[in-house]
Amino acid sequence: MNAVPAWATRLRAARTAQQWSQRQLARKLIEASDEALPDPESIIRVIRGHEHGRHRPDDRYTELYCRVYGLSAAILFDSADETPGLGDEIDAMELSRRAAASDVGNETLDRLDTAVDDLASAYPKVPPAQLLERVRRHLEYVTRLLDGRKTLAEHRRLLIAGGWLSLLGATCHIDLRQYAFAEARLRTAAQLGRQAEYAELTAWCVETEAWRVLIEGDYRRAVTLSQGAQDLAPRASSVFIQATAQEGRAWARLGDGPATRSALGRVHRLVSPLPAPDRPEHHYQYDPAKSDTYTATTLSWIGDPAAESYARQVLARLESPGEGPPRPRRAALARLDLALALLAVGQPEEAVHVTMTAMASGEIVPSSYWRAAEIAVGVEARGLPEAGELREAYQALCTGVSMPT
């Protein structure tokens, strides 16, 4: 029997993430179509054929799927099959598994763990849509391994690997503002974490949800979720520190200065004895240098004048050749921190320049567009002549993305 194509698996996953039946999807397709479609029963048969990979959608249905799910054709149908070298990476792990004469085997699991770490380390550098395709392919592989024979220990390692991959996938969806998909992947990651009795993974799921609701503006819930993540996390673990920092950011958005500074103080006490990790770019290994970045963000959000010097120091370090590999995405966000801080201390002209540089970098992901919008609104409120140019640049950044103005 031929394997189901990756695009068919993605179509089915997109529907289940929305918790739609095939009948409900048929109605959605009819509503989205500019021209008459067959009766619902016929469309259900078409959907079933697509999701089983029996025939690829034609141009009309490709367009309708993209409209209904809010995703590009590249993400739904093409990207995973065109990722250079990715098939070779999966094939290499499969060959290792078969050579070990085992359905799973330690060597396969070790290589899978390495792949998970590589993907988490690629997060700050690889565009989220591109990284998401790699994550999907590895999740498909984990699913195949879970269907095979394995020991209890091997089963647990697969659950953990699948949990990390689902969590990273959710993070990419949040970056792309695809919140329904993110919630579905977060639920999966949390479920796998609970099944594996792996508190760190479960805590990261709660912290990631705190980040998502903070982006959406539900700051009180972000505080509650951040504190919940701390309750679940092993003490002084990376996720405990990250959740504490996230709590501080949420308090800053609520305008609570004492609570904000209390959280920042706890982060600094946790971070000060830590050595630099082997892979500081790893998304789930807390880099002590990130503490200054979070401090700059948090202080800028609360309007503390100290945010300016913090943001300048962070930006200088990120762009210094002697401070490790380039971190362009983190540098772009540091510029937004600096711009907001400059507005607070009465330097709006430089704030405009810094924001324009950040937006022109191409490194700001959709989940952070609102931060640029906040600066644009602040510049407009001050009546600067550059406000119009900044607003146009912001609108160009958000082309194709539904954002508040």
Side-chain angles (χ1 to χ4, degrees), residues 17 37 58 94 110 118 127 151 154 161 166 168 235 252 280 282 290 294 300 313 316 318 362 382:
L37 291 180
D58 59 20
E94 178 67 6
D110 289 343
D118 289 344
T151 66
E154 290 169 343
S166 297
L168 186 57
R235 298 295 136 182
H282 196 297
K290 191 188 289 186
Y294 270 81
S300 69
Q313 291 169 25
L318 289 172
R382 287 161 175 80

Side-chain angles (χ1 to χ4, degrees), residues 299-323:
L299 293 179
S300 69
W301 285 358
I302 205 169
D304 191 314
E308 181 192 352
S309 61
Y310 263 102
R312 289 191 190 279
Q313 291 169 25
V314 168
L315 186 57
R317 187 172 62 246
L318 289 172
E319 296 187 327
S320 171
E323 293 290 337

Side-chain angles (χ1 to χ4, degrees), residues 21 40 164 241 358 379 403:
S21 66
W164 284 124
I241 300 171
V379 170
M403 292 290 298

Side-chain angles (χ1 to χ4, degrees), residues 40-260:
E41 294 301 326
S42 298
I43 296 177
I44 290 171
R45 288 193 293 272
V46 171
I47 293 170
R48 192 174 296 125
H50 292 161
E51 291 188 356
H52 284 82
R54 288 195 289 269
H55 49 89
R56 191 181 178 98
D58 59 20
D59 290 345
R60 177 173 64 171
Y61 278 98
T62 294
E63 173 68 21
L64 289 177
Y65 281 127
C66 291
R67 288 183 188 180
V68 166
Y69 292 132
L71 298 172
S72 69
I75 288 176
L76 274 176
F77 297 104
D78 298 330
S79 301
D81 300 325
E82 297 174 0
T83 304
L86 184 54
D88 293 338
E89 183 178 355
I90 300 294
D91 290 345
M93 284 191 284
E94 178 67 6
L95 179 60
S96 173
R97 180 183 74 82
R98 295 189 180 190
S102 166
D103 278 357
V104 182
N106 284 331
E107 185 174 349
T108 299
L109 290 168
D110 289 343
R111 296 185 67 167
L112 183 58
D113 288 343
T114 298
V116 171
D117 285 336
D118 289 344
L119 291 169
S121 299
Y123 171 76
K125 299 172 287 188
V126 178
Q130 182 180 336
L131 185 63
L132 185 58
E133 298 306 328
R134 294 172 60 186
V135 169
R136 282 174 172 144
R137 289 291 300 273
H138 283 84
L139 273 170
E140 290 167 6
Y141 186 62
V142 169
T143 300
R144 294 207 304 270
L145 293 179
L146 282 168
D147 288 336
R149 294 172 300 172
K150 55 203 169 298
T151 66
L152 287 174
E154 290 169 343
H155 181 73
R156 182 173 185 270
R157 288 183 67 182
L158 284 173
L159 291 178
I160 292 171
W164 284 124
L165 290 167
S166 297
L167 177 61
L168 186 57
T171 304
C172 292
H173 281 303
I174 292 170
D175 277 336
L176 296 168
R177 296 181 60 85
Q178 298 167 353
Y179 295 140
F181 295 103
E183 290 175 7
R185 290 200 184 276
L186 273 178
R187 286 195 298 270
T188 298
Q191 180 183 9
L192 294 174
R194 289 192 296 269
Q195 289 177 0
E197 298 182 345
Y198 193 37
E200 184 174 359
L201 174 58
T202 307
W204 270 114
C205 293
V206 179
E207 189 280 333
T208 302
E209 177 66 4
W211 171 52
R212 186 189 72 78
V213 301
L214 186 146
I215 292 170
E216 288 290 278
D218 192 347
Y219 307 131
R220 182 65 61 179
R221 185 160 177 246
V223 168
T224 301
L225 287 167
S226 298
Q227 293 172 338
Q230 292 168 59
D231 290 339
L232 290 169
R235 298 295 136 182
S237 62
S238 288
V239 63
F240 186 88
I241 300 171
Q242 179 71 19
T244 306
Q246 200 71 269
E247 180 191 347
R249 298 207 303 176
W251 283 125
R253 299 306 295 183
L254 288 166
D256 191 325
T260 299

